[in-house]
Amino acid sequence: MIKKWLVSFCFLLSAYIGPGQAQVLDRIVAVVEEDVILERELNNEVAAITNKLSSNNVMIPPEFVLRKQVLERMVVDKLQRQLAAKSGVQVSDEMLSASVADIASRNGLSVESFRNELSKQGMEYKAFEDNLRNEIIINQLRGREIGSRVKVTDAEVLHYMETQSKAGQSNSQYHLGHILIAVSEAASATAIQKAKDKADQVIADLRGGKDFKQVAVSVSDDDNALKGGDLGWRSIGQIPSLFSEIVTTMNQGDVSEAIRSPSGFHIIKMLETEGAGQHIVTKTKVRHILIKTNELVDDAEAQKRLLALRERINDGDDFANLARAHSDDKGSAINGGSLDWVGPGALVPPFEEAMNKLAINEISQPVQTQFGWHMIQVLGRENQDNSEQFKKDKIREEIRKRKIEEETELWLRRLRDEAFVEIDLDRL
């Protein structure tokens, strides 16, 4: 009762500020629990999505359809942020700054250059930061609500490898399009049949030649709808088990029949397929001496000690003996500082970067990591066919991603179905 009163009050307030004062304010288009979405916010988001679709050469659907799709995404986004706030999920300014720096670095830019590039593209830096903070919060929430519950066992990995091998699909990659016609968990038989009829019509339209991206933007209830339903390239292990078997029978350009799940009816299009090759990695045999910093040993002292040890090695002292006597990494010190053969990603980035620059038998200058200061020596390098272990690791991650995706879809649908949401259709 209270929320129905809130809806009426909010929609009235959005139009009037007092008796006899028909002054129009920023209209409210939706009430989401105790929060609202303003027409201005919806207009801004629709404009941003329209620009993105245009730049990707996707035909823009009718305005009412696009506004409805965008508003629905905004509702689900707001529900997640509300839950994150209640759960105490926060993003510090330091974490946000680090994420911005990482994005800029991956684009080969400094933070300042990245800001200038955003400005050239017509995006305010503050808006970018707000969107990024929101994305990080939602990812952390999903990790807490979903990711922490998803486990992948060795038996699942082995079973998948056996199944994959029998099917001859070990190297296949699939570029998929996806459309979801949603059905609530408590839907009546009539509502389910109506959704099925809609899915069948969509399939007929796609097979008749309609553009997949445009149809996805117009009708799909999936989170990827505004990306044209593009799921990207996936191996069979990354494809939800619900339709993985169907995918392996499809040819490029094929559109599946409607696939039923608790979320509704799914439609898959095979956009492209390709194979994968051998995975070769460079392994490095490395050893080190670590000096940790503490109340008595600061950064300068740690570096001084390592440089003195380096001089002794250059003068003929044995690295292994000095590591046993001086290294604070007791686990490797007993083995003369040896970390044995290591592959990419096995060590922290500053250590690995310095190690990769060294020639065989060369000894580094002091290198700082979160563990302290290191002196590194590379003893050997060799290329190894890591395909089998790489395959196992990749399959484990793919199964985990698939499970998370399936759980996320159900979780979002449940979150939406159980929430109090009222939409002013007149504002669309």
Side-chain angles (χ1 to χ4, degrees):
M1 188 70 182
I2 292 176
K3 286 186 176 175
K4 285 186 177 295
W5 172 84
L6 176 65
V7 171
S8 300
F9 175 75
C10 285
F11 287 148
L12 284 171
L13 183 62
S14 68
Y16 301 101
I17 61 171
Q21 296 178 317
Q23 183 176 344
V24 178
L25 301 180
D26 197 351
R27 291 190 173 98
I28 294 168
V29 293
V31 176
V32 184
E33 293 292 336
E34 280 81 26
D35 204 351
V36 298
I37 296 175
L38 301 175
E39 189 172 35
R40 168 178 50 83
E41 296 174 316
L42 175 60
N43 291 341
N44 289 342
E45 191 65 18
V46 168
I49 294 297
T50 299
N51 289 336
K52 183 176 289 187
L53 292 175
S54 296
S55 65
N56 291 329
N57 296 316
V58 178
M59 189 177 295
I60 311 298
E63 184 178 6
F64 175 82
V65 173
L66 181 60
R67 288 175 70 84
K68 181 174 178 292
Q69 283 277 51
V70 173
L71 181 57
E72 185 60 33
R73 191 174 80 167
M74 292 176 72
V75 166
V76 174
D77 181 77
K78 189 171 284 288
L79 287 171
Q80 290 177 88
R81 283 187 282 130
Q82 289 173 351
L83 181 57
K86 291 175 184 175
S87 304
V89 178
Q90 296 180 335
V91 174
S92 66
D93 291 339
E94 292 77 14
M95 184 184 298
L96 184 64
S97 296
S99 296
V100 171
D102 180 58
I103 293 171
S105 176
R106 282 190 272 117
N107 284 277
L109 300 170
S110 66
V111 173
E112 188 60 35
S113 299
F114 182 64
R115 292 183 68 155
N116 293 336
E117 189 62 32
L118 289 175
S119 180
K120 289 178 186 176
Q121 295 177 15
M123 179 179 289
E124 292 183 5
Y125 185 70
K126 178 65 166 60
F128 171 80
E129 277 194 323
D130 290 343
N131 287 337
L132 180 59
R133 186 189 297 273
N134 182 48
E135 185 177 320
I136 295 171
I137 287 173
I138 287 177
N139 285 339
Q140 288 186 343
L141 174 69
R142 291 184 179 183
R144 178 183 296 187
E145 296 288 324
I146 301 164
S148 60
R149 301 197 308 263
V150 173
K151 308 295 180 188
V152 180
T153 65
D154 291 341
E156 286 178 294
V157 173
L158 292 174
H159 174 71
Y160 172 78
M161 291 180 71
E162 290 171 3
T163 304
Q164 196 179 47
S165 178
K166 289 176 183 176
Q169 299 293 332
S170 57
N171 292 328
S172 297
Q173 293 281 321
Y174 306 94
H175 185 193
L176 301 177
H178 175 243
I179 290 172
L180 170 66
I181 306 301
V183 177
S184 69
E185 290 183 302
S188 65
T190 301
I192 293 173
Q193 186 57 50
K194 184 177 179 182
K196 175 65 164 59
D197 292 342
K198 182 178 179 180
D200 289 341
Q201 184 58 54
V202 168
I203 292 168
D205 290 342
L206 292 172
R207 289 175 176 172
K210 278 202 171 182
D211 181 73
F212 185 89
K213 289 184 177 180
Q214 183 188 0
V215 174
V217 171
S218 300
V219 306
S220 182
D221 298 309
D222 182 61
D223 202 36
N224 287 301
L226 294 173
K227 298 177 184 176
D230 193 340
L231 293 181
W233 283 95
R234 300 182 176 214
S235 70
I236 196 68
Q238 292 174 297
I239 298 170
S241 54
L242 179 70
F243 40 83
S244 58
E245 288 187 13
I246 295 171
V247 164
T248 60
T249 67
M250 296 173 67
N251 296 314
Q252 185 168 320
D254 285 354
V255 176
S256 72
E257 296 294 336
I259 306 165
R260 183 73 166 100
S261 84
S263 299
F265 293 93
H266 305 261
I267 301 164
I268 300 298
K269 180 170 182 178
M270 179 66 69
L271 303 175
E272 299 172 89
T273 63
E274 68 175 25
Q278 193 178 31
H279 189 262
I280 304 296
V281 297
T282 299
K283 289 203 168 183
T284 304
K285 190 172 186 179
V286 64
R287 59 185 177 181
H288 77 135
I289 296 173
L290 170 68
I291 303 296
K292 293 181 178 179
T293 55
N294 51 44
E295 294 81 1
L296 301 177
V297 180
D298 61 12
D299 289 333
E301 177 62 22
Q303 293 178 76
K304 181 180 176 182
R305 292 185 184 184
L306 286 176
L307 289 172
L309 292 172
R310 191 171 188 271
E311 282 296 317
R312 291 177 61 179
I313 294 168
N314 288 336
D315 289 339
D317 279 7
D318 183 65
F319 189 110
N321 289 337
L322 292 177
R324 292 186 188 97
H326 298 280
S327 181
D328 290 327
D329 179 6
K330 301 308 178 186
S332 67
I334 195 171
N335 296 315
S338 176
L339 298 173
D340 207 359
W341 290 94
V342 296
L347 304 172
V348 293
F351 190 108
E352 185 169 310
E353 289 170 13
M355 176 186 75
N356 289 339
K357 293 176 182 177
L358 295 173
I360 304 299
N361 295 323
E362 183 181 0
I363 298 173
S364 74
Q365 295 292 328
V367 176
Q368 187 179 30
T369 73
Q370 64 262 46
F371 303 108
W373 287 86
H374 311 255
M375 183 166 62
I376 307 167
Q377 184 180 35
V378 169
L379 300 177
R381 284 195 181 92
E382 62 180 36
N383 291 330
Q384 295 183 7
D385 182 356
N386 193 45
S387 300
E388 191 66 17
Q389 186 58 49
F390 177 78
K391 182 178 177 183
K392 287 181 180 179
D393 293 342
K394 199 165 186 293
I395 286 172
R396 184 180 299 277
E397 184 57 29
E398 288 170 355
I399 294 173
R400 176 176 166 77
K401 285 181 180 178
R402 184 189 71 197
K403 286 184 170 184
I404 288 175
E405 187 172 89
E406 292 171 344
E407 287 295 320
T408 299
E409 185 177 280
L410 288 171
W411 178 73
L412 287 175
R413 184 56 48 193
R414 194 173 296 118
L415 185 67
R416 176 64 174 87
D417 288 345
E418 294 175 358
F420 177 82
V421 177
E422 195 75 25
I423 294 174
D424 184 0
L425 294 176
D426 292 336
R427 302 298 179 207
L428 295 179

